[in-house]
Amino acid sequence: MKLLGKILCKECVSNKYYVRCFKANHHNLHYRNSYKKNTCIDMLRQGYHKSFSELFTLIQKWNALREAAGPGSAIWLQTSLEEQPDKLDQLHHFLTRAEAAQRAEHYEDMYNHQLNLAYCFNNPEDKWLRNYFYEQCHRTAKQIKIDGGKKEAESHANLGLVYEEQGQLMKAAEHYEAFHQLTVGRMWRDERGQSHNLLACEHLWRIYTLLADKMLENNEHQQAIKTLIKAFEMAKKGNLNIYIEISTALCDSVGLGKAYQAIAKVLVSQEKVTEAIKYLEKFVDIAKSAHHSRSLVNACTFLGNIYNERVSIRFRNYAMFANALTDLPLVDETKAYYGIAKAHNMMVAVNSHTEAVDHVTIEYLLAWKENRSDMCTDPFTVDTASLPGPWPNLCDLPGAPSRRSPE
Amino acid sequence: MRVERLVPLALPRGQKLQCELCRGPAGLRCGACCVTYYCEVEHQKADWDSIHEKICQLLIPLRTPLPFYNSDKERNHGLEQQLSREKHLVELTHRVAQKFLFEGKHKEAIPAALHSLRFSIHIYGLNSVELVPPYLILAEASIGLGHLTQAEEYLSQAQWTVLKTSHCSDAIQSKLHRNLGLLYAAKGNFEESLYHLANDIYFASCAFGTNNISSSGGYYHMANVFFRQNKMDIADSLYSEATDIWHSYFSGLIDVQLQTIMSPSEIDILCLPALRFHSMELNTIFIPSADESQQAEASQILNAILDIREHASRQQPMKTGKVVHALAMLHYLILDIPKAHELAMKALLIISYLQKQDSAEAIQQLINLIKSKPFYAK
């Protein structure tokens, strides 16, 4: 149908214009008919019966939604689809082309037309229409084999976004996983040049984090742990710009930090200390690289506590790291922790010496009691070289009390 | 079928008897009812074959003077009875005419339709919307016989009536447009035809939904027009749509039977000869719910599509198989068991080449159902 310019509608009360001029013979009849009827008949006359069925069903669906919502709801006051000529036009334009493509089995074209329709309806009022066309795209994409599944993958990503928006996280996760699976190992890129695979990893990481949040709210710790593991793996695989991404994530989703802590607590309560320690270490690494001091402090403190309580031999004094930062309110606390840690550290040595009841060790013990040295230089003491990082001087910290013996 | 010859001169002055069909001077009278007159034997025979056999006795109370009633109440009651008899006749004649049309017997349809028209005029008046269905049947029959001007006349009448009636139902409008479409197609004016058939499908969808069997006729006729215009892909798509509608309708009916009566495993057991008599009692429940005109329409459409598919230059076995399957289900539902069996086996053969598991299963279930019938003779 050629666009013959706009014609003033004689019937329509709101002075809307007919955008398309229908066949000349039926002008009088067409002015008597509604725009919807003219569009439908136009479609059918040209043989596009599937487009007609789809349009008809969509209009009926809208009416049913409105009926179900009842008077007083938001949808009650909206104008019906059948009374919006421009939307009807767009539907006519793309649906007919999609059907022609379908007949000729050019599924790629069909997909593109349906995708265009989805983009057309990307406003808050027509969300249901947009989602409907995303579903249609997905169905079409499954039949496109020539491009090796690229369109199918894209359609999965679109559907994932739709479900995420609606809050159906599990379904969104399913689609993102499918997206990821299809894009693994492929070098596809989208219009902005971003690799599909990285996009998949990013989506999955985000959705897993959201899922884990929800699980934590429901106290499903185990599930949350598993989901966060997956999230972390995705983040790694995506080679995401970890510094920026995760720091933004840590800023945005404080949940991540809390989640890690929560995982660790749960694991500790379940006596799986080594795993807990692993997670906390991971978290510390991230926090360190993102220079996120607060979380770092939290993480280090927590780790330190664990180590304190467990008195493990391979002792790492994470409280030291906290001291490296200038988080003043916590300095005293961390100093106390540091002290405890040091004490524990020495306890190992002292105990071993006490047990070894021979003359030399007793000499050393007495010497230590005299001057309270660190026994760092003593070969019997713990190997400090294995301890990470430089040991900052406590005296150098602001507000530090002077110590009797130097470090 | 006694026929009595009349002598027009012997009638009282002024009383003119007219032929039932052509309204010419009458020379014969039907011996069975004695109230129907014809001009010549041909018209008498035509009317008898078409409708008179069925309504002969029913005409008697309508064409003889009313008996003398004693009270007003009795008179009213008598009038009401007449009215209900006439309405019954209208419906009966309409149904019969419709059936003839679908079977392609256009000539036989006309007398029946004329009766329907006359009774409707008598009951409802000349401008009422109830006259539209008989006009449509007459028009369709005329098109079938090639009397295009006559058909156009009837259709103009119908269209005018519809336009004047503000609350005309979508179903009637759909039928009107279908006939207009057929008329223009017969005249060769394809654009007009497509316009009207599009209207037909639109109104049918408004009235019944897009997937209803009432729209299937519209799709079929539209496909024919595109076929004649040589737009094969559009025609193919429309034929498939019509087939799909009937296929899903019949599948639904058969599913209902399968679920309510017995489970598929029981059907397998019923294939054994010994248990065939058991299913005979259940036969009475297997009454097809599609009425006769729908049956006839389905048969006409599906057979025509099958014909086209089989003679197409590029064979599409999947679609052909579907048509055959639908036809098999139709014959099963109208209890034409041997034909159903033959068609079902043919469908199975076609589908099994294509390795489509679910379609093959459906056909297999149908075959089992067919075999469970006692009429089935190996």
Side-chain angles (χ1 to χ4, degrees), chain B residues 54-62 85 88-89 92:
Chain B
K54 299 180 179 91
I55 63 173
C56 189
Q57 299 303 309
L58 297 171
L59 284 173
I60 299 178
L62 291 173
R85 284 196 195 111
H88 172 70
L89 267 178
L92 175 62

Side-chain angles (χ1 to χ4, degrees), chain A residues 23 25-26 29-30 32-33 36-37 40-41 44-47 49-50 52-53 56-57 60 99 103, chain B residues 163 191-192 194-199 201-203 205-206 209-210 219 222 226 233-234 237-238 241:
Chain A
K23 199 147 162 66
N25 311 357
H26 298 292
L29 278 178
H30 275 270
R32 212 187 310 220
N33 295 332
K36 158 194 165 197
K37 185 171 171 205
C40 288
I41 290 180
L44 281 168
R45 266 185 50 228
Q46 297 172 327
H49 63 99
K50 286 206 174 66
F52 162 72
S53 307
F56 201 77
T57 328
Q60 279 187 329
E99 187 173 346
R103 266 194 238 130
Chain B
L163 279 174
E191 285 300 317
E192 280 291 325
L194 284 174
Y195 172 74
H196 285 293
L197 287 171
N199 268 302
I201 298 177
Y202 176 78
F203 283 118
S205 305
C206 283
T210 49
Y219 285 124
M222 229 183 180
F226 279 117
D233 48 350
I234 306 181
S237 168
L238 284 164
E241 182 76 22

Side-chain angles (χ1 to χ4, degrees), chain B residues 51-344:
Chain B
I51 187 75
H52 196 70
E53 187 178 354
K54 299 180 179 91
I55 63 173
C56 189
Q57 299 303 309
L58 297 171
L59 284 173
I60 299 178
L62 291 173
R63 293 192 174 167
T64 48
L66 284 174
F68 177 74
Y69 289 113
N70 283 325
S71 70
D72 207 29
K73 198 172 89 169
E74 279 180 45
R75 267 195 292 277
N76 288 336
H77 179 69
L79 281 174
E80 271 171 32
Q81 266 200 325
Q82 287 284 74
L83 202 62
S84 68
R85 284 196 195 111
E86 280 195 317
K87 284 190 179 160
H88 172 70
L89 267 178
V90 165
E91 273 172 51
L92 175 62
T93 48
H94 183 81
R95 255 203 328 269
V96 168
Q98 190 81 24
K99 186 153 177 254
F100 277 132
L101 266 187
F102 284 131
E103 290 169 4
K105 299 177 183 163
H106 300 282
K107 208 152 181 297
E108 283 87 340
I110 294 189
L114 278 172
H115 270 102
S116 179
L117 182 65
R118 288 199 199 115
F119 283 124
S120 302
I121 294 178
H122 190 243
I123 301 175
Y124 301 109
L126 267 178
N127 276 332
S128 71
V129 75
E130 279 82 356
L131 296 186
V132 174
Y135 274 131
L136 292 179
I137 297 185
L138 281 167
E140 204 174 326
S142 308
I143 296 174
L145 288 174
H147 303 151
L148 294 182
T149 30
Q150 181 73 293
E152 202 166 349
E153 212 179 285
Y154 287 131
L155 279 175
S156 322
Q157 275 281 48
Q159 201 173 12
W160 177 248
T161 316
V162 164
L163 279 174
K164 294 296 272 183
T165 319
S166 47
H167 57 267
C168 189
S169 76
D170 288 331
I172 294 184
Q173 295 220 41
S174 154
K175 285 207 184 86
L176 168 69
H177 281 286
R178 183 174 304 180
N179 281 299
L180 279 167
L182 285 174
L183 171 67
Y184 284 115
K187 283 167 128 189
N189 187 346
F190 293 133
E191 285 300 317
E192 280 291 325
S193 169
L194 284 174
Y195 172 74
H196 285 293
L197 287 171
N199 268 302
D200 164 23
I201 298 177
Y202 176 78
F203 283 118
S205 305
C206 283
F208 305 111
T210 49
N211 259 346
N212 195 275
I213 52 177
S214 318
S215 346
S216 70
Y219 285 124
Y220 168 68
H221 291 300
M222 229 183 180
N224 279 343
V225 174
F226 279 117
F227 189 80
R228 283 167 67 183
Q229 284 185 317
N230 228 352
K231 294 181 183 166
M232 289 306 168
D233 48 350
I234 306 181
D236 182 71
S237 168
L238 284 164
Y239 283 134
S240 310
E241 182 76 22
T243 316
D244 288 344
I245 292 176
W246 281 112
H247 188 273
S248 46
Y249 179 71
F250 289 142
S251 301
L253 286 178
I254 289 194
D255 278 342
V256 161
Q257 287 191 2
L258 281 173
Q259 277 165 20
T260 53
I261 310 298
M262 54 181 90
S263 64
S265 52
E266 284 176 282
I267 297 177
D268 286 335
I269 300 174
L270 275 177
C271 293
L272 299 175
L275 290 170
R276 274 216 200 112
F277 293 109
H278 171 62
S279 66
M280 203 144 62
E281 289 122 40
L282 298 165
N283 232 348
T284 47
I285 320 175
F286 288 172
I287 299 168
S289 42
D291 70 49
E292 284 186 342
S293 63
Q294 284 181 336
Q295 271 165 230
E297 188 181 8
S299 174
Q300 178 204 23
I301 292 177
L302 288 173
N303 277 314
I305 297 181
L306 181 62
D307 205 38
I308 291 171
R309 289 230 181 268
E310 281 179 342
H311 293 115
S313 52
R314 187 176 71 116
Q315 285 290 323
Q316 296 179 80
M318 186 69 211
K319 296 186 179 174
T320 320
K322 202 158 191 188
V323 184
V324 182
H325 185 195
L327 266 172
M329 285 196 278
L330 169 66
H331 282 279
Y332 168 74
L333 285 168
I334 61 173
L335 299 176
D336 181 2
I337 301 298
K339 184 92 186 154
H341 181 72
E342 175 196 331
L343 287 166

Side-chain angles (χ1 to χ4, degrees), chain A residues 1-154:
Chain A
M1 265 293 99
K2 289 180 283 216
L3 217 79
L4 289 184
K6 297 195 174 189
I7 300 167
L8 180 58
C9 168
K10 294 188 177 102
E11 291 269 317
C12 193
V13 177
S14 59
N15 251 356
K16 284 224 170 93
Y17 286 82
Y18 279 153
V19 182
R20 290 194 335 277
C21 168
F22 297 94
K23 199 147 162 66
N25 311 357
H26 298 292
H27 256 173
N28 42 354
L29 278 178
H30 275 270
Y31 282 130
R32 212 187 310 220
N33 295 332
S34 65
Y35 202 70
K36 158 194 165 197
K37 185 171 171 205
N38 286 335
T39 318
C40 288
I41 290 180
D42 206 40
M43 278 186 195
L44 281 168
R45 266 185 50 228
Q46 297 172 327
Y48 294 119
H49 63 99
K50 286 206 174 66
S51 313
F52 162 72
S53 307
E54 210 165 336
L55 176 63
F56 201 77
T57 328
L58 282 172
I59 293 177
Q60 279 187 329
K61 224 188 210 180
W62 190 92
N63 289 335
L65 277 173
R66 186 166 180 266
E67 286 298 320
S73 63
I75 199 175
W76 195 259
L77 301 168
Q78 288 174 11
T79 43
S80 158
L81 191 58
E82 43 193 271
E83 286 156 20
Q84 301 188 45
D86 40 347
K87 289 199 184 140
L88 286 175
D89 275 338
Q90 281 173 333
L91 281 166
H92 178 285
H93 186 259
F94 286 113
L95 280 175
T96 46
R97 280 170 179 67
E99 187 173 346
Q102 188 183 17
R103 266 194 238 130
E105 296 189 6
H106 295 152
Y107 292 115
E108 284 214 26
D109 289 335
M110 186 186 175
Y111 175 86
N112 286 336
H113 290 309
Q114 285 171 331
L115 197 64
N116 277 328
L117 269 172
Y119 289 151
C120 285
F121 292 115
N122 203 2
N123 52 48
E125 202 178 85
D126 299 318
K127 278 237 154 72
W128 66 281
L129 261 180
R130 182 202 68 177
N131 297 346
Y132 172 80
F133 281 114
Y134 274 137
E135 300 260 348
Q136 294 289 82
C137 285
H138 183 63
R139 218 168 287 150
T140 318
K142 284 200 188 133
Q143 292 178 308
I144 304 178
K145 303 291 175 206
I146 324 174
D147 64 352
K150 178 172 178 198
K151 291 253 166 8
E152 191 179 344
E154 279 169 17

